[in-house]
Amino acid sequence: FSLYGIIPVTLGVFSLLLLMLCGFFAYQYFQSVQASENKMKSFNQLTESFQNKAEKFLLVQKTLDQNKETLEWLRKQNVYLMEDLQELKARQGNFVNRHGSPLNHWVQYENHSYHQTMEVFSWLNCSHLCVSLNATFLKTERSILIIKLKLLLVSHTWIGISYKEEDNAWQWEDGSSDSPGP
């Protein structure tokens, strides 16, 4: 072989090696570009997810603030209702029986308290109930009694007057006799 024949073959081999080297680096470059694109997509997805979570967090925070305001309003309403309930109990009287439990059906009117129950009792049992409540039957003047009787008779309410057969007269619970009147 002559020198002129080896040079072109050597140059051809070097060109072929150079071409292969360029192909290898081009492959590596495109692989790194592809990896960068994938990383960029992943980063964009993470950023978008973070933005969505931030928006949801702000929405939850807004809802919590609204619920906090509602809760505060409800607490104030509860305080007002408790005050009203205490005032109502004070008006009705806060009565307690001999066992220490509060009694219902007490009504405060002017300076007097009246107890009325829906249970039906005989006069004697009603008298025992009055004793257990540390109370007395209703007693009033005859003219006022007639007005109150008209109102009370509708609901079958016992008052503090009863007929004593041995005396053939009406008597108040305290032993006084019925006062004459119209």
Side-chain angles (χ1 to χ4, degrees):
F1 286 97
S2 71
L3 185 62
Y4 292 108
I6 294 180
I7 292 178
V9 171
T10 307
L11 282 176
V13 169
F14 278 124
S15 294
L16 190 57
L17 285 175
L18 185 61
L19 186 60
M20 286 176 56
L21 192 60
C22 284
F24 174 74
F25 283 124
Y27 175 77
Q28 291 297 324
Y29 172 76
F30 286 117
Q31 287 288 54
S32 67
V33 167
Q34 186 72 25
S36 295
E37 286 178 2
N38 287 340
K39 287 181 181 179
M40 189 58 109
K41 283 181 183 178
S42 177
F43 176 75
N44 286 339
Q45 288 174 346
L46 286 173
T47 304
E48 190 176 310
S49 173
F50 177 75
Q51 287 175 343
N52 288 339
K53 289 179 181 178
E55 289 173 3
K56 287 180 182 178
F57 175 78
L58 291 175
L59 183 62
V60 167
Q61 184 67 35
K62 183 179 178 182
T63 304
L64 285 174
D65 289 341
Q66 290 173 344
N67 288 346
K68 187 176 179 182
E69 290 173 8
T70 303
L71 181 62
E72 188 60 34
W73 180 82
L74 287 172
R75 284 184 181 149
K76 287 179 183 177
Q77 293 301 315
N78 189 30
V79 168
Y80 296 145
L81 287 173
M82 293 302 289
E83 289 172 356
D84 290 344
L85 181 61
Q86 288 175 350
E87 183 180 330
L88 181 61
K89 282 184 177 180
R91 284 185 188 168
Q92 288 182 338
N94 193 8
F95 298 98
V96 176
N97 68 11
R98 62 184 165 165
H99 302 292
S101 59
L103 297 172
N104 297 330
H105 310 293
W106 284 94
V107 178
Q108 187 81 26
Y109 180 72
E110 293 178 354
N111 292 332
H112 300 285
S113 300
Y114 301 94
H115 180 267
Q116 190 172 24
T117 180
M118 300 309 288
E119 295 180 53
V120 178
F121 291 103
S122 67
W123 188 91
L124 183 60
N125 286 342
C126 194
S127 176
H128 292 309
L129 177 64
C130 285
V131 170
S132 73
L133 296 174
N134 195 21
T136 59
F137 278 111
L138 174 67
K139 180 179 179 184
T140 185
E141 295 177 19
R142 186 170 176 84
S143 58
I144 297 172
L145 175 64
I146 293 172
I147 295 168
K148 288 186 179 180
L149 279 176
K150 287 179 183 177
L151 295 172
L152 295 175
L153 285 178
V154 174
S155 61
H156 306 287
T157 302
W158 289 109
I159 60 171
I161 193 168
S162 62
Y163 184 75
K164 305 291 183 187
E165 288 185 33
E166 59 271 5
D167 297 333
N168 196 24
W170 288 91
Q171 275 188 327
W172 288 107
E173 182 69 17
D174 63 5
S176 61
S177 63
D178 182 28
S179 58

